[in-house]
Amino acid sequence: MYPRSSGAFVASLSLCETNATLPSGGRPDTVPPVPKGARNWLTPAAWVAAVTAVLLLVFPVGFPNYDTIYALVWGRELAHGGSPDYGAALPPTPHPLADLLGLVTTPIGDGAVTATMIVAYLSLALCGYLVYRLGSLWFDRWIGAVAAAIVLTRAPFLSNGLRAYVDLPYIALCLGALTIEAKRPRAGWPVLALLALAGLLRPEAWLFSVAYLIYLSLDPEKLNRTKEPEGSLQRPGEPEEPLKRPGKAERAPLGRADTQSVGLIRPTLVRARGALSAPPATLVPLAFAAPLLWLVFDWITTGEPLYSLTGTQETVETLRRQTGALDLVLYGPRRLGEVLQWPGMVGALGGVVLGFAFLRRRSTLGIAAAALALGAFALLAVAGLAIIARYTMLAGAILSIFVAVGLLGWRLLEPDHPWRRRWQLFAGLVLLMLVVWLPNQWDLDSRVDTDLTNQARIENDLTDLVDAGAFEPLCGRIAVPNHRAVPRLAFGLDVEPTQIVSASEEGIPKRGYLVAPASPFVIHNFILDPNDPTQFSPKVPEGFRQVARNESWRVYRRC
């Protein structure tokens, strides 16, 4: 299914780029020139709109996942002046910015789900555009286009994006900050502002903000004074030798966008010696805004400033997920591999090595960003958070650019460069692996569509029961097979999540309602996590009688 859409995606990219650069002299009598400022926004807007349309055509069914529905419920509770109800079975980690979305969409009622899905589709398309833009800025448009196509055809991006996980807006914000820095080095507050927003969705962005603040604290003039001229291999005490420019065989051509560096690069700590200064005072509060706001949010809503951390650690333990330093070594590379798949892993490794060797200054920012993303993932894993593929997607998005570099980067070398032919051979190997893997990628993307369709149907059937009045009168608590149904019913019925209990974890109340699956199809498709403590076929207690049913669910009541 999805591989057919990648051609449409590249075509839409080319169309947007062509339209954005049409000369005004083509029809000066009827078409006024587009102002540069408007054109700068028009091209990405058209690009994102086109990709969103393709996503809607290929994957028309999406729905808010468990975490995001909870954010809508908690945002509504905040809008009503109360604290979020975290007392239900296995609540997810609260994310302040996601809860804020729930708060501002409360006035539109059920339309909050539609608004959330609009954000989800646009975020996924925006991630594709920003990967394309970074690839174009660092290398060229073809590399950017291939990288974006890789991201938009990887199953984890599609699956998590179309389930409206907060990770896709988070990735878009981080890539947006990286794009600003790539276009305007040492941009300062715009980068930190986007990272602050990202830091209200995922804590990894806190590390990025601190790292960027340290980078801004390095004095460029002092760095230039302490940095030896390129090509100088002189050691203390040796006579000074004249500098020689590298020959053609030693480097790629230096064009307008070329940033290749040749010669030795001294260790960063040595080069930065004496160049550190106090960071700009106005940027320090912005760099630390996200962690402070998150701590304040937890303290106000729960009385525990570290609630999000401790609650997440408890959930990881309950669901028996991999975590810690040992599991990081054993499972971390596999989780990244689930995002890029093995041809992508080989291509990314080769692209990083070749890019660093021959297109060094072009590649430096991307390699540093990928390393920082993986480092943040490792740090949180050691701190007790889960090691899952979703948390490696930011690194995967950046590394997809280096997969494209592995495929096409040889074009940026001079025709007589000694490594051009070797790079072409490596590119051919990666291309062959991608072609061989294509049927598997087709199956993975098709599985995403099948799972989305099946799960959306089950969740919509649950919503239909709410709309049909199956829970009226609400004479007690509602028992559901497992905790997955809790936020969906709480949102639909406009009740606190603790009014919905998980029969698997909390039992069935003596009075109230019981929701039971109507078929094995529901049992198979409604498990949120393989380690969920789920008993999907609870025995209907005495005194409960069936009051409603549909294709997916049966509702029993005893008032």
Side-chain angles (χ1 to χ4, degrees), residues 262-280:
V262 294
L264 297 179
I265 287 186
R266 301 176 65 191
T268 303
L269 293 176
V270 175
R271 178 180 291 181
R273 183 182 299 165
L276 271 174
S277 58

Side-chain angles (χ1 to χ4, degrees), residues 45 47 85 152 178 215 308 340 345 381 442-443 475 488 497 558:
W47 203 102
D85 181 5
L152 292 173
L178 194 56
Y215 164 71
S308 293
L340 290 175
M345 294 284 280
W442 179 286
D443 291 341
C475 57
R488 176 70 63 175
R558 182 187 182 189

Side-chain angles (χ1 to χ4, degrees), residues 322-333 378-385 387:
Q322 288 92 19
T323 188
L326 179 60
D327 283 347
L328 175 65
V329 175
L330 295 176
Y331 299 102
L379 185 63
L380 292 185
V382 172
L385 274 65
I387 300 171

Side-chain angles (χ1 to χ4, degrees), residues 151-399:
V151 166
L152 292 173
T153 54
R154 299 307 97 175
F157 281 94
L158 296 170
S159 177
N160 292 295
L162 303 180
R163 286 180 172 86
Y165 275 95
V166 299
D167 300 79
L168 272 298
Y170 155 75
I171 293 171
L173 289 167
C174 290
L175 293 178
L178 194 56
T179 302
I180 292 174
E181 182 62 23
K183 292 176 64 176
R184 184 158 58 94
R186 305 179 72 85
W189 74 263
V191 173
L192 287 173
L194 290 181
L195 290 178
L197 292 174
L200 296 176
L201 292 173
R202 292 288 311 163
E204 293 93 329
W206 306 351
L207 175 63
F208 306 155
S209 294
V210 173
Y212 186 67
L213 189 65
I214 294 173
Y215 164 71
L216 293 178
S217 301
L218 295 173
D219 189 330
E221 294 184 2
K222 292 181 180 179
L223 279 175
N224 290 335
R225 287 198 297 267
T226 59
K227 181 181 176 181
E228 293 180 0
E230 286 186 2
S232 174
L233 304 180
Q234 179 183 356
R235 296 180 181 177
E238 291 184 355
E240 183 176 350
E241 297 181 3
L243 296 178
K244 295 187 294 182
R245 294 182 61 83
K248 288 184 178 180
E250 297 175 81
R251 62 172 183 152
L254 295 179
R256 177 183 177 186
D258 200 351
T259 51
Q260 179 181 357
S261 175
V262 294
L264 297 179
I265 287 186
R266 301 176 65 191
T268 303
L269 293 176
V270 175
R271 178 180 291 181
R273 183 182 299 165
L276 271 174
S277 58
T282 55
L283 298 182
V284 173
L286 192 56
F288 291 95
L292 290 175
L293 288 173
W294 200 315
L295 290 172
V296 170
F297 178 81
D298 278 355
W299 178 61
I300 292 175
T301 56
T302 69
E304 301 177 25
L306 298 178
Y307 170 80
S308 293
L309 174 63
T310 57
T312 302
Q313 290 171 333
E314 291 174 2
T315 300
V316 168
E317 183 178 353
T318 300
L319 297 178
R320 300 192 300 277
R321 289 177 173 170
Q322 288 92 19
T323 188
L326 179 60
D327 283 347
L328 175 65
V329 175
L330 295 176
Y331 299 102
R334 300 185 194 180
R335 299 301 173 254
L336 181 61
E338 290 176 22
V339 175
L340 290 175
Q341 300 301 320
W342 65 269
M345 294 284 280
V346 173
L349 178 60
V352 167
V353 172
L354 292 168
F356 184 77
F358 302 109
L359 301 168
R360 184 167 296 168
R361 290 167 70 184
R362 287 179 183 261
S363 305
T364 298
L365 182 57
I367 293 173
L372 197 59
L374 290 173
F377 167 72
L379 185 63
L380 292 185
V382 172
L385 274 65
I387 300 171
I388 56 179
R390 181 158 50 93
Y391 297 164
T392 69
M393 290 197 306
L394 175 59
I398 299 169
L399 289 173

Side-chain angles (χ1 to χ4, degrees), residues 492-516:
L493 295 170
D494 195 10
V495 298
E496 294 182 347
T498 47
Q499 287 295 109
I500 320 295
V501 299
S502 170
S504 302
E505 295 144 288
E506 302 171 86
I508 302 173
K510 295 181 178 180
R511 296 186 180 275
Y513 288 83
L514 171 64
V515 180

Side-chain angles (χ1 to χ4, degrees), residues 437-489:
W437 184 256
L438 189 59
N440 300 76
Q441 192 61 51
W442 179 286
D443 291 341
L444 290 170
D445 293 346
S446 298
R447 181 69 182 179
V448 170
D449 180 64
T450 300
D451 288 346
L452 286 170
T453 302
N454 292 341
Q455 293 169 12
R457 180 177 125 198
I458 294 170
E459 297 221 356
N460 288 337
D461 281 349
L462 194 59
T463 301
D464 289 344
L465 290 172
V466 173
D467 296 339
F471 300 95
E472 297 176 1
L474 193 58
C475 57
R477 303 172 84 184
I478 302 171
V480 292
N482 75 342
H483 58 274
R484 176 170 183 169
V486 171
R488 176 70 63 175
L489 282 178

